[in-house]
């Protein structure tokens, strides 16, 4: 089984450590069950994309469920009858049902999902509420400023 090197992502992300740990642990635990294959891309500081190779699945055969800190993608194919199966000389395209679970960091939500050319892409966005964003506290009664914004007092 091919291992994942998530070190570059760990260095530059905060709050996703648990996500990477679970991906690595899941990859070790399932050993061999890598269907369907998937990629996880970091598009920017707060945007991610999960891409699953779901060749042969139609939109109505796929389900995406987003719960707090969990993204579940499943595909259900109807069983092929023995008459249909007898027509195939070779079956090399996996045509089985699946379920993939991805643990998400806090405040990550699914923005969109798209199925094209046998690839299911799910766009994720991390949106931290204003009350949870870090604030810089000035010493001696200065103004409180959100980190990343300029202050007239500074």
């Amino acid at each position: 089984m091919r291992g994942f090197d998530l070190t570059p992502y760990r260095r530059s992300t905060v709050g996703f450590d648990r996500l990477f740990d679970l991906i690595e642990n899941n990859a070790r635990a399932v050993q061999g069950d890598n269907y369907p294959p998937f990629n996880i891309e970091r598009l920017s500081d707060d945007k991610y994309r999960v891409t699953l190779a779901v060749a042969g699945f139609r939109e109505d055969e796929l389900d995406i469920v987003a719960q707090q800190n969990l993204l579940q993608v499943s595909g259900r194919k109807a069983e092929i009858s023995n008459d249909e199966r007898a027509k195939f000389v070779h079956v090399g395209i996996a045509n089985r049902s699946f379920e993939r679970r991805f643990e998400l960091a806090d405040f990550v939500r699914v923005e969109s999902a798209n199925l094209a050319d046998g690839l299911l892409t799910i766009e994720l966005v991390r949106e931290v509420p204003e009350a949870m964003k870090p604030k810089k506290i000035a010493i001696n009664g200065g103004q409180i400023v959100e980190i990343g914004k300029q202050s007239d007092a500074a």
Side-chain angles (χ1 to χ4, degrees):
M1 184 170 121
R2 195 172 89 199
F4 296 104
D5 181 16
L6 299 174
T7 307
Y9 297 110
R10 287 182 184 274
R11 275 186 252 141
S12 57
T13 59
V14 175
F16 283 86
D17 295 335
R18 188 178 66 188
L19 171 67
F20 295 128
D21 289 340
L22 288 167
I23 290 170
E24 289 171 342
N25 292 340
N26 188 32
R28 280 187 217 110
V30 230
Q31 297 220 353
D33 185 18
N34 60 353
Y35 181 77
F38 65 93
N39 293 335
I40 299 176
E41 301 171 74
R42 181 176 180 201
L43 304 175
S44 69
D45 285 342
D46 293 325
K47 289 190 178 228
Y48 292 81
R49 177 182 296 142
V50 176
T51 305
L52 290 96
V54 291
F57 283 87
R58 296 186 315 261
E59 284 184 37
D60 62 334
E61 297 171 328
L62 297 169
D63 286 320
I64 303 169
V65 178
Q67 300 171 354
Q68 184 175 354
N69 295 49
L70 180 67
L71 173 64
Q72 179 179 333
V73 181
S74 57
R76 303 279 178 250
K77 292 292 278 182
E79 287 294 319
I80 299 174
S81 68
N82 286 336
D83 292 338
E84 287 293 317
R85 190 170 291 149
K87 294 178 184 177
F88 287 98
V89 176
H90 172 75
V91 178
I93 298 173
N95 202 20
R96 62 181 189 244
S97 297
F98 70 88
E99 183 177 296
R100 280 273 187 203
R101 293 173 180 252
F102 301 93
E103 195 77 24
L104 302 177
D106 293 333
F107 312 115
V108 173
R109 69 172 179 83
V110 176
E111 186 174 53
S112 65
N114 184 37
L115 178 63
D117 301 325
L119 296 174
L120 176 64
T121 57
I122 303 169
E123 305 289 333
L124 304 172
V125 177
R126 183 170 184 239
E127 293 179 340
V128 179
E130 286 296 320
M132 301 291 288
K133 288 185 179 177
K135 307 233 185 300
K136 184 173 181 168
I137 311 298
I139 300 173
N140 294 329
Q143 188 178 18
I144 297 175
V145 179
E146 283 186 36
I147 304 237
K149 291 191 178 181
Q150 295 297 328
S151 164
D152 295 334

